[in-house]
Amino acid sequence: MQIFVPRECENETRVAVTPDTVKKFIQLGITIQVESGCGLKSLHTDEDYVKAGAQIISTSEKKEALQAADLVLHVLPLEASDIALMKPKAWHVSFFDTFRFPEQLEAFKQNQTNVISLERIPRTSFAQKMDALSSQSSLAG
């Protein structure tokens, strides 16, 4: 399995994967690529990701990384033009409010890309490990 983590938009300071998480993926035998600079706003350098075992992808290589990835991890959904580059049946995981991002919803549908919306995961004890809304609420205060 190959995971790709692109940089977020200018206003987003969170990153979908930290170097510690990269180490866990590597231990499972998963290949992980991160776009150069993806963690800078969260105080994680490219060197931190390399030390953890990730491959750094330059912005000029982003298109190929999106086409090759089985799973794309992002805080907010990708732009529709980037979604169109993903291979069909690949997975995209992010906070994805379908009412807020109708253009991306259509791109996912047209590209036959699978989507997991983190805020749609039920807030139950069974799914507690995946409850991203509670963790983000705690951080926000």
Side-chain angles (χ1 to χ4, degrees), residues 4 22 61:
F4 178 53
V22 168
E61 299 170 305

Side-chain angles (χ1 to χ4, degrees), residues 89-138:
K89 308 298 181 201
W91 290 84
H92 176 281
V93 179
S94 70
F95 287 103
F96 178 57
D97 180 349
T98 55
F99 296 107
R100 185 172 162 207
F101 300 105
E103 186 178 328
Q104 283 88 336
L105 179 62
E106 185 60 30
F108 284 126
K109 190 169 106 177
Q110 291 297 319
N111 199 44
Q112 298 179 350
T113 307
N114 298 297
V115 183
I116 294 177
S117 177
L118 293 172
E119 70 268 25
R120 301 274 187 210
I121 295 173
R123 297 176 84 178
T124 65
S125 58
F126 180 73
Q128 191 171 8
K129 288 184 177 183
M130 298 184 296
D131 181 5
L133 287 179
S134 291
S135 68
Q136 295 305 295
S137 295
S138 295

Side-chain angles (χ1 to χ4, degrees), residues 6 62 66 72 74 76-80 82-83 86 92 104 108:
K62 180 179 178 179
L66 283 168
V72 175
H74 217 233
L76 296 175
L78 294 172
E79 294 294 325
D82 288 337
I83 295 166
M86 292 177 65
H92 176 281
Q104 283 88 336
F108 284 126

Side-chain angles (χ1 to χ4, degrees):
M1 172 181 266
Q2 187 164 324
I3 296 175
F4 178 53
V5 182
R7 269 196 322 250
E8 296 291 332
C9 65
E10 289 298 317
N11 298 330
E12 183 57 65
T13 58
R14 297 172 293 177
V15 64
V17 174
T18 66
D20 286 339
T21 308
V22 168
K23 289 177 188 176
K24 293 176 183 178
F25 283 128
I26 297 297
Q27 289 173 349
L28 295 171
I30 297 170
T31 302
I32 185 158
Q33 299 177 320
V34 297
E35 185 176 0
S36 181
C38 77
L40 290 177
K41 292 179 186 173
S42 296
L43 306 178
H44 301 294
T45 65
D46 287 352
E47 184 178 310
D48 295 335
Y49 285 103
V50 170
K51 285 180 185 175
Q55 179 186 359
I56 302 299
I57 300 298
S58 69
T59 301
S60 64
E61 299 170 305
K62 180 179 178 179
K63 178 181 177 181
E64 291 81 12
L66 283 168
Q67 291 171 333
D70 300 303
L71 173 63
V72 175
L73 301 175
H74 217 233
V75 175
L76 296 175
L78 294 172
E79 294 294 325
S81 58
D82 288 337
I83 295 166
L85 296 172
M86 292 177 65
K87 65 182 175 184
K89 308 298 181 201
W91 290 84
H92 176 281
V93 179
S94 70
F95 287 103
F96 178 57
D97 180 349
T98 55
F99 296 107
R100 185 172 162 207
F101 300 105
E103 186 178 328
Q104 283 88 336
L105 179 62
E106 185 60 30
F108 284 126
K109 190 169 106 177
Q110 291 297 319
N111 199 44
Q112 298 179 350
T113 307
N114 298 297
V115 183
I116 294 177
S117 177
L118 293 172
E119 70 268 25
R120 301 274 187 210
I121 295 173
R123 297 176 84 178
T124 65
S125 58
F126 180 73
Q128 191 171 8
K129 288 184 177 183
M130 298 184 296
D131 181 5
L133 287 179
S134 291
S135 68
Q136 295 305 295
S137 295
S138 295
L139 290 172

